[in-house]
Amino acid sequence: MTAFGYRVPQWVSLLVWAAAWEAAGWTDLTLLLPPLSGVIAKLFEIVPTEHFADALLLTARAFAAGTLVAVAVGVPVGMCMGRYETADRLLLPWVNMFVSAPLTALVPVIMALFGFGETTIVLTVVLFAVWIVVLDARAGARSLPASLEEMARSYGASVWQAFAKVYVWAALPEILAGVRLGLLRGVKGVIVGQLLVSVVGFGHLFEIYQSNFLMEHMWALLLVLFALAFAIDGALAALEKRVEYYAAAR
Amino acid sequence: MSPDATAGPRRPEADAGAMVSVRAVSKVYPGGVEALSDITLDFPKGKLTTILGPSGCGKTTLLKIVAGLLPPTAGEVTVAGRRVAGPGPERAFVFQDFALMPWATVLRNVAFGIELRGVPRAEREAVAMRHIAEVGLQGFERHYPHELSGGMRQRVGLARALAVDAEVLLMDEPFSAVDEQTRRKFQEDLLALAAGKGKTLLFVTHSIEEAVYLSDRIVLLSRRPSRVSSIVEPAIPRDAPPEAIRRHPAYLDTVEAIWRGLKQYLD
């Protein structure tokens, strides 16, 4: 992000709301809202615990595996849809349906099929992340300049070479945008999966905190998850910027 | 066309064997647009032949059919006696919009044709370096296309075509996206390059001056659906310096004659 002046108001706004939270917490308005300072203190208390480390490890593993599958499947499928009319006609209606469908409702189905373990959570991440990856890879493949495609063909590229050496790179800005959105949806997926399964990872912790009315714990955990999602987005935005320079030059 | 434009000492050489033969080629695009109608043409080996015609007349379509990028609706194209069924290593294409890979350096772009053939990295980079120097871009090997001017980018496109060592170079309005002064210099360099290599060049352009300046033979196409309207072989001494060519009476006469021929297609 270029604008330092754009970042500052954001932080100021965060500070204002943090102050409001703190103030509201001190008024003892409701048990549900402990003061922010207490939550942050609790955050430093629970983050070093083993439960938290276990949950974080499981979450990170499921998230990594799920998004990896989503990208590994989504990008080739999307590229094929973008290049081949038949594949597009066959798949596009489904992709469009799933990209906007309330996917949370499908998680119990996955649970019924694959049990209450990590597989279910990984598949939930895939289910959340893959569609937008497909759509953006498709858009990238469709925006491929005709002359680059002709260049690959006229210099004798096989279909495989054309995809691996030209099409994927030409579509990279769109693909990365899709991956970024996919990862954010994956974060949702990994949390939703764990909440619904609720016997592993952060879902389990949430379950414990809520049933024992540990509001400071719960808010602290939420803050951690928000920060994680924000960090992932920031890292990808930085990566996207590195390929931006040629998105305009294509 | 006036007969004096076609007369000249170079006439007999033109029959020294056709490298590219176009036989009764027609092209109708899906939707019914008839771009080419029954084109029969020979492109002599080692010569620069320009395809010239009113805009939208199917010049580029013809070139892409020769390249094997488009299938003809009827008729056939042979290159060195073999029937064209798709792109082949004996033909290299230079694109109007350069078609460079923006994520790759000049070196990799130039080496791309031979990279696709599986030539080892060190070897293909050595070949690419040689051709980069040949088109006058030494020192820019590690630059990216967006760091170069339009003229320099097209030099990269030309170097890429030279690097695959094809006998036939197909050039689709290569200088149309290049500014006027750069274009002149580029034309002169192209002539110098072509003279030394004995390659067969097919060159599409809409500029009469460019066609007459560069060509051994000019094919004039009519308006769509295109037919061959006439063939001109400018009787211009090629060994003269560029300024002399552009002032040579044969050059000026041929430009004038072609202009008179093309004027009928303008509304």
Side-chain angles (χ1 to χ4, degrees):
Chain A
M1 293 202 200
T2 49
F4 190 61
Y6 170 71
R7 282 236 154 194
V8 172
Q10 265 199 335
W11 284 111
V12 170
S13 134
L14 271 183
L15 286 179
V16 169
W17 288 105
W21 181 352
E22 182 71 18
W26 283 111
T27 58
D28 272 336
L29 209 59
T30 159
L31 256 179
L32 289 174
L33 195 69
L36 180 63
S37 53
V39 170
I40 289 172
K42 195 58 76 183
L43 193 152
F44 284 103
E45 194 181 304
I46 60 170
V47 165
T49 63
E50 205 179 313
H51 282 307
F52 183 85
D54 284 348
L56 186 64
L57 184 70
L58 182 133
T59 306
R61 219 165 47 202
F63 177 72
T67 47
L68 214 67
V69 171
V71 172
V73 172
V75 171
V77 168
M79 295 288 302
C80 283
M81 286 171 66
R83 301 296 315 156
Y84 301 111
E85 195 63 30
T86 321
D88 203 37
R89 295 230 175 125
L90 200 66
L91 295 172
L92 188 61
W94 293 97
V95 175
N96 272 332
M97 196 172 83
F98 274 104
V99 84
S100 54
L103 297 169
T104 314
L106 279 176
V107 177
V109 180
I110 300 178
M111 237 177 344
L113 287 171
F114 295 93
F116 291 88
E118 221 176 313
T119 317
T120 298
I121 295 168
V122 172
L123 286 176
T124 308
V125 176
V126 176
L127 178 72
F128 272 70
V130 75
W131 311 108
I132 193 71
V133 177
V134 169
L135 275 189
D136 277 23
R138 172 181 178 271
R142 285 170 74 91
S143 71
L144 183 80
S147 67
L148 264 188
E149 191 241 331
E150 288 177 340
M151 189 279 289
R153 275 172 57 209
S154 73
Y155 283 95
S158 64
V159 171
W160 171 248
Q161 281 178 321
F163 269 94
K165 288 179 188 285
V166 180
Y167 301 169
V168 169
W169 294 92
L172 203 56
E174 284 87 356
I175 290 177
L176 277 186
V179 168
R180 183 175 165 199
L181 292 173
L183 290 197
L184 288 181
R185 287 174 175 225
V187 173
K188 274 190 216 167
V190 79
I191 300 304
V192 165
Q194 291 183 38
L195 286 179
L196 291 179
V197 173
S198 80
V199 293
V200 287
F202 286 125
H204 190 44
L205 288 184
F206 269 119
E207 181 69 18
I208 295 172
Y209 296 160
Q210 280 179 335
S211 53
N212 295 300
F213 231 69
L214 297 167
M215 282 306 136
E216 283 186 343
H217 288 75
M218 203 196 76
W219 284 111
L221 193 53
L222 274 177
L223 282 187
V224 171
L225 293 180
F226 275 42
L228 276 180
F230 194 72
I232 289 172
D233 186 43
L236 278 161
L239 184 64
E240 234 180 277
K241 242 175 77 89
R242 292 191 53 183
V243 295
E244 229 169 43
Y245 76 89
Y246 78 72
R250 278 179 308 177
Chain B
M1 204 59 53
S2 60
D4 57 339
T6 56
R10 297 156 51 78
R11 187 69 187 269
E13 291 170 42
D15 301 319
M19 184 69 193
V20 176
S21 287
V22 174
R23 292 276 163 268
V25 161
S26 300
K27 179 70 186 177
V28 182
Y29 280 108
V33 177
E34 196 181 1
L36 303 173
S37 165
D38 194 25
I39 303 253
T40 295
L41 266 177
D42 280 335
F43 295 90
K45 189 176 169 66
K47 298 288 173 194
L48 196 157
T49 307
T50 297
I51 303 164
L52 186 65
S55 54
C57 78
K59 309 183 285 282
T60 295
T61 302
L62 179 60
L63 197 70
K64 285 185 176 169
I65 289 174
V66 173
L69 291 170
L70 282 177
T73 311
E76 65 167 20
V77 176
T78 57
V79 175
R82 282 187 304 275
R83 189 162 190 265
V84 165
E90 76 287 352
R91 282 159 288 151
F93 206 99
V94 177
F95 293 86
Q96 184 176 7
D97 65 351
F98 322 135
L100 301 178
M101 303 180 294
W103 57 88
T105 59
V106 167
L107 186 60
R108 180 151 183 252
N109 266 297
V110 172
F112 190 65
I114 41 181
E115 178 184 338
L116 292 174
R117 294 179 190 177
V119 175
R121 191 190 179 105
E123 195 182 321
R124 68 179 188 245
E125 290 191 346
V127 172
M129 295 289 251
R130 212 172 63 231
H131 291 288
I132 290 168
E134 205 170 32
V135 299
L137 282 181
Q138 58 272 64
F140 291 96
E141 290 86 354
R142 305 283 164 198
H143 284 60
Y144 287 87
H146 67 98
E147 298 169 324
L148 306 178
S149 68
M152 290 162 89
R153 287 185 211 181
Q154 192 55 293
R155 284 171 189 270
V156 177
L158 179 62
R160 176 175 60 194
L162 293 172
V164 295
D165 201 23
E167 293 158 82
V168 180
L169 289 188
L170 308 169
M171 309 184 81
D172 181 17
E173 302 198 25
F175 304 145
S176 67
V178 171
D179 67 82
E180 173 66 24
Q181 287 116 45
T182 315
R183 191 182 313 156
R184 285 204 166 202
K185 181 77 176 73
F186 207 153
Q187 289 164 353
E188 290 167 13
D189 291 356
L190 182 70
L191 275 187
L193 270 176
K197 287 189 179 277
K199 294 198 185 293
T200 306
L201 277 80
L202 274 64
F203 193 103
V204 165
T205 182
H206 58 249
S207 158
I208 300 172
E209 284 82 1
E210 181 166 273
V212 177
Y213 177 67
L214 289 173
S215 313
D216 299 305
R217 168 183 274 208
I218 300 165
V219 175
L220 284 162
L221 296 185
S222 66
R223 206 155 53 169
R224 213 167 55 202
S226 296
R227 295 182 173 78
V228 177
S229 122
S230 64
I231 294 176
V232 183
E233 295 189 359
I236 299 168
R238 287 295 159 194
D239 42 9
E243 320 80 64
I245 292 182
R246 289 190 214 272
R247 279 199 307 263
H248 196 279
Y251 170 84
L252 298 170
D253 289 349
T254 314
V255 169
E256 183 55 31
I258 292 175
W259 168 233
R260 266 186 273 126
L262 281 181
K263 220 161 28 178
Q264 59 174 307
Y265 299 120
L266 298 176
D267 296 321

